[in-house]
């Protein structure tokens, strides 16, 4: 069974930084577009950023460059570097893998930004 397992979430103050990690198993990782999505309470899941198999990134303009996605194909891992965090960034963050019609999701990791 395909597995995506996120880690690195937690509680921090506004302006802080955090790095999320996702380890993927049982797929040919290097072929997949990897992405991070988030879902705040009472809201729909939304795109944060993706990185394709060739390293091309796609991101949400409203994040204003505060988040950076990266991948390590040798480790089957994808990361999300989160800087200048705001209370509005509070959400469950999900790791995603996509290839053509295939899509897989992790269980999510909670990020809480609070003063």
């Amino acid at each position: 069974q395909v597995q995506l397992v996120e880690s690195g979430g937690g509680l921090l103050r506004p302006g802080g930084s955090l790095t999320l990690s996702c380890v993927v198993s049982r797929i040919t990782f290097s072929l997949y577009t990897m992405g991070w999505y988030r879902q705040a309470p009472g809201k729909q899941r939304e795109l944060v950023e993706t990185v394709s198999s060739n390293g091309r990134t796609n991101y949400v303009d409203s994040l204003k460059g505060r988040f950076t996605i990266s991948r390590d194909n040798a480790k089957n891992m994808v990361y999300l570097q989160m800087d200048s965090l705001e209370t509005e960034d509070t959400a469950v963050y999900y790791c995603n893998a996509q290839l053509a019609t295939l899509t897989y999701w992790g269980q999510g990791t909670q990020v809480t930004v609070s003063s």
Side-chain angles (χ1 to χ4, degrees):
Q1 186 177 83
V2 176
Q3 291 187 332
L4 290 74
V5 181
E6 303 96 333
S7 61
L11 173 65
L12 69 164
R13 305 302 184 193
S17 296
L18 200 63
T19 300
L20 305 182
S21 300
C22 174
V23 62
V24 184
S25 62
R26 302 188 184 182
I27 62 171
T28 306
F29 178 83
S30 61
L31 298 179
Y32 281 72
T33 293
M34 300 301 303
W36 288 96
Y37 294 72
R38 68 185 184 183
Q39 186 168 22
K43 297 183 178 180
Q44 293 185 329
R45 188 176 300 182
E46 64 178 0
L47 170 70
V48 175
E49 194 168 1
T50 64
V51 56
S52 72
S53 60
N54 66 3
R56 187 179 301 274
T57 58
N58 184 48
Y59 60 92
V60 178
D61 288 342
S62 62
L63 294 176
K64 299 181 180 180
R66 296 184 296 112
F67 292 5
T68 303
I69 194 171
S70 62
R71 66 190 298 161
D72 186 338
N73 288 343
K75 297 180 179 180
N76 280 21
M77 295 192 72
V78 61
Y79 308 93
L80 184 67
Q81 177 64 47
M82 310 167 67
D83 299 315
S84 301
L85 284 163
E86 304 167 355
T87 57
E88 293 78 10
D89 295 317
T90 296
V92 177
Y93 285 72
Y94 294 92
C95 183
N96 170 265
Q98 291 186 352
L99 178 63
T101 61
L102 301 176
T103 183
Y104 303 101
W105 294 94
Q107 83 290 341
T109 186
Q110 177 71 49
V111 174
T112 302
V113 185
S114 177
S115 60

